[in-house]
Amino acid sequence: MRTIRIDLDVIAANYKTLKELTGGIVMAIVKADAFGHGMIEVSKKLESINVDILGTADLEEAMALREAGIKSPIMAWLYSKTTEFEEAIKNDIELGASTLVTLEKIGSASKKVGLVAKVHLKVDTGLGRNGAALADWPGVIQKAIELRDSGAIELVGVFSHLSGTSEKDDLEQLRVFEEAIETASKLGATFKIHHIAASLAALRYPSTRLDMTRIGAALYGLDPGLETNMRQYGLLPAMRVTSEVVHVKKVSSGHSLSYGYLHSTTGESTLALVPFGYNEGFPRISTGKAEVFLNGKKYKVLARVAMDQFILDLGTDTAEIGDEVVIIGDGTKGEPTVEELAKAAGTINDEIVTKMGGRAKRVFS
């Protein structure tokens, strides 16, 4: 009744396209279950085409990849107070670090297991998330040099993250990043890999690509800015979400529908029941704005989306039980896109795809 179809070949093709476009190392971001596309399956597909490196946020995600047999390089950068790094170092997971405490814990774990930890230092250039504050950066560098010289860590990379606010803002962050790298150099720290650009900057601002780009949204054919035609870059969406009609009936004019009676029929109408609700990731807040595709035509979901289902008012049109209903599909065929659903819900496409699931069956092809 509910299917989330993931085209792994499309993801692989997108990765190759991004490699050619950026001209450098491409980290494939597979955090958050690969943006809802299936972290293990996507990672195995990318490994089969010799992905440069995989990126997760949580260390637990990276460890899950190793447990699944993934041997490609992996980087993680988000930890808690209780995170321990011994197993990550044993499993050759590259680690982001931006505080003295984290560096000290990594150094201690490295000495404990007798292996050199691969570290990327992060500086905050304006986003305000993790990353060393500029005032703290020299101290972080000095600690990293101390650990490097003791043989505990290898300084593999230096990185930051852009806000995506505007070209001016992103390029200003790039300038701050370059100054931070210069500061590190003067103190005696050098890095093999410099990286700051995610999908948006990698596509729009070539000067931000540096040695490596971290590509998430664009890898899955998602527009990182909600205003870009991804097909102009040769990037295609990899997720298709469908359900089906499970009940059909005719009702008279003035028949009110679903919770809150937000919609009533204006004439004799055919109603079609579709078993896909907010439990599966169809946003309740998109009621009255989101559209789905049935029998070659778009219909607005006018009645309130419920946990398990929604109702379509087909007016004088008809439908049969079993007819496919496209929730996210191919915009070139007139089907609703994830960007359109995101707009209807007042959010971004990343949020829509990462929340798709519930009782829907994920199928890989």
Side-chain angles (χ1 to χ4, degrees):
M1 292 194 298
R2 315 168 182 98
T3 303
I4 300 171
R5 188 171 298 278
I6 307 299
D7 193 326
L8 296 174
D9 288 335
V10 164
I11 294 173
N14 286 346
Y15 183 82
K16 292 177 181 178
T17 298
L18 289 158
K19 278 284 292 179
E20 183 176 349
L21 175 69
T22 61
I25 301 167
V26 173
M27 177 186 288
I29 303 300
V30 294
K31 66 179 182 178
D33 201 23
F35 286 54
H37 290 68
M39 181 178 74
I40 302 300
E41 292 82 2
V42 168
S43 297
K44 287 182 176 179
K45 182 65 175 183
L46 291 172
E47 183 164 77
S48 76
I49 61 167
N50 300 313
V51 65
D52 293 326
I53 183 170
L54 300 167
T56 67
D58 292 5
L59 190 53
E60 291 79 4
E61 294 174 311
M63 291 299 295
L65 290 176
R66 285 287 184 252
E67 290 166 6
I70 301 296
K71 294 179 173 58
S72 300
I74 304 171
M75 179 183 171
W77 53 82
L78 195 60
Y79 325 114
S80 73
K81 182 179 180 180
T82 59
T83 296
E84 297 181 354
F85 295 98
E86 285 82 0
E87 290 303 312
I89 296 170
K90 287 181 183 178
N91 282 277
D92 197 27
I93 294 168
E94 300 181 23
L95 302 167
S98 58
T99 68
L100 296 177
V101 171
T102 298
L103 279 171
E104 288 168 353
K105 290 183 69 175
I106 291 173
S108 177
S110 172
K111 293 172 184 177
K112 185 175 179 179
V113 300
L115 296 168
V116 178
K118 296 176 180 177
V119 173
H120 297 241
L121 297 183
K122 186 175 185 182
V123 59
D124 180 10
T125 56
L127 187 61
R129 300 198 312 201
N130 62 351
L134 293 176
D136 299 330
W137 183 239
V140 169
I141 293 296
Q142 289 166 348
K143 172 56 70 173
I145 290 172
E146 175 190 321
L147 292 170
R148 179 200 64 188
D149 292 347
S150 73
I153 70 171
E154 176 188 355
L155 290 179
V156 175
V158 59
F159 71 117
S160 190
H161 197 76
L162 300 172
S163 72
T165 302
S166 68
E167 180 177 7
K168 178 181 177 182
D169 288 303
D170 281 358
L171 295 184
E172 172 60 17
Q173 281 191 254
L174 176 62
R175 184 193 66 78
V176 174
F177 185 54
E178 291 170 340
E179 287 187 355
I181 293 170
E182 180 64 23
T183 296
S185 178
K186 289 178 179 177
L187 291 170
T190 58
F191 309 91
K192 298 176 182 177
I193 302 173
H194 308 77
H195 50 115
I196 193 170
S199 292
L200 181 65
L203 292 175
R204 293 185 183 176
Y205 317 133
S207 64
T208 67
R209 293 170 185 167
L210 306 181
D211 302 305
M212 180 169 76
T213 53
R214 304 185 302 270
I215 306 295
L219 179 64
Y220 308 104
L222 301 169
D223 175 8
L226 293 182
E227 55 189 35
T228 305
N229 178 5
M230 300 300 282
R231 290 177 185 271
Q232 72 178 312
Y233 297 104
L235 302 170
L236 302 177
M239 178 184 287
R240 179 179 177 84
V241 181
T242 61
S243 188
E244 64 183 67
V245 175
V246 295
H247 186 74
V248 179
K249 63 183 176 186
K250 289 187 178 295
V251 297
S252 59
S253 178
H255 195 296
S256 297
L257 308 178
S258 194
Y259 296 120
Y261 285 175
L262 300 182
H263 173 70
S264 299
T265 58
T266 57
E268 185 175 289
S269 296
T270 297
L271 304 182
L273 185 66
V274 182
F276 203 101
Y278 56 77
N279 179 67
E280 282 64 55
F282 198 104
R284 183 174 182 270
I285 198 171
S286 68
T287 299
K289 293 167 282 191
E291 294 180 316
V292 297
F293 192 81
L294 169 64
N295 293 334
K297 183 177 178 180
K298 280 184 177 178
Y299 293 92
K300 192 165 286 187
V301 182
L302 298 171
R304 177 164 281 155
V305 175
M307 184 183 295
D308 314 301
Q309 58 211 283
F310 60 83
I311 305 165
L312 293 177
D313 179 354
L314 304 183
T316 58
D317 295 339
T318 60
E320 295 183 2
I321 292 174
D323 284 348
E324 181 184 66
V325 178
V326 181
I327 294 162
I328 295 174
D330 186 345
T332 65
K333 297 178 180 178
E335 298 171 348
T337 65
V338 64
E339 284 76 24
E340 289 169 343
L341 181 54
K343 184 177 181 180
T347 186
I348 59 173
N349 47 17
D350 290 3
E351 182 175 357
I352 296 296
V353 293
T354 55
K355 288 184 176 179
M356 280 291 160
R359 292 156 294 189
K361 180 181 180 182
R362 191 180 274 116
V363 176
F364 298 92
S365 61

